[in-house]
């Protein structure tokens, strides 16, 4: 399983994004789908197709963010190993 190094701030940003996706964007898209259904024939309804595509894209992003949050490793520049060139180390190239 691949682990993703992330700063504490990055984790917080992902958590906020996930909350936004689930509590604001998902209900908005569900409402758009319901409204588009009211317009009649779904086969020729561009609004319905667009809303379903938006829903699909949103669900893909939700799964991506959830996977990142489950597989992250909190990384801090303050505690980074500076004995070798690695993530978080500063090097001077002459």
């Amino acid at each position: 399983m691949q682990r993703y190094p992330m700063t504490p701030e990055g984790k917080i940003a992902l958590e906020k994004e996930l909350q936004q996706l689930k509590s604001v964007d998902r209900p908005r898209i569900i409402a758009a789908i319901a409204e588009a259904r009211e317009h009649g024939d779904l086969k020729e309804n561009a609004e319905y197709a667009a809303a379903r595509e938006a829903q699909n894209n949103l669900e893909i992003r939700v799964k991506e963010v959830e996977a990142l949050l489950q597989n992250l490793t909190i990384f801090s520049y303050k505690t980074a190993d500076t004995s070798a060139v690695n993530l978080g180390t500063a090097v001077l190239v002459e």
Side-chain angles (χ1 to χ4, degrees):
M1 176 180 294
Q2 182 177 358
R3 304 295 290 175
Y4 300 99
M6 190 171 300
T7 63
E9 295 83 10
K11 180 184 179 200
I12 291 169
L14 278 179
E15 290 170 339
K16 285 181 182 179
E17 179 184 358
L18 185 60
Q19 181 66 27
Q20 169 78 21
L21 291 170
K22 287 183 171 182
S23 65
V24 177
D25 297 342
R26 186 181 276 163
R28 179 182 48 81
I29 290 173
I30 290 170
I33 290 172
E35 181 180 331
R37 279 187 179 148
E38 293 174 2
H39 294 164
D41 185 14
L42 298 181
K43 290 181 182 179
E44 297 180 15
N45 189 333
E47 284 181 34
Y48 178 77
R52 292 289 297 179
E53 184 176 346
Q55 181 185 37
N56 184 48
N57 292 338
L58 176 120
E59 295 305 325
I60 289 170
R61 183 60 185 160
V62 166
K63 287 183 192 310
E64 288 174 347
V65 172
E66 287 175 340
L68 282 171
L69 287 171
Q70 288 176 356
N71 298 311
L72 65 85
T73 301
I74 297 296
F75 174 81
S76 173
Y77 290 105
K78 295 175 186 172
T79 61
D81 178 17
T82 58
S83 63
V85 176
N86 202 347
L87 184 64
T89 58
V91 294
L92 176 63
V93 178
E94 293 182 0

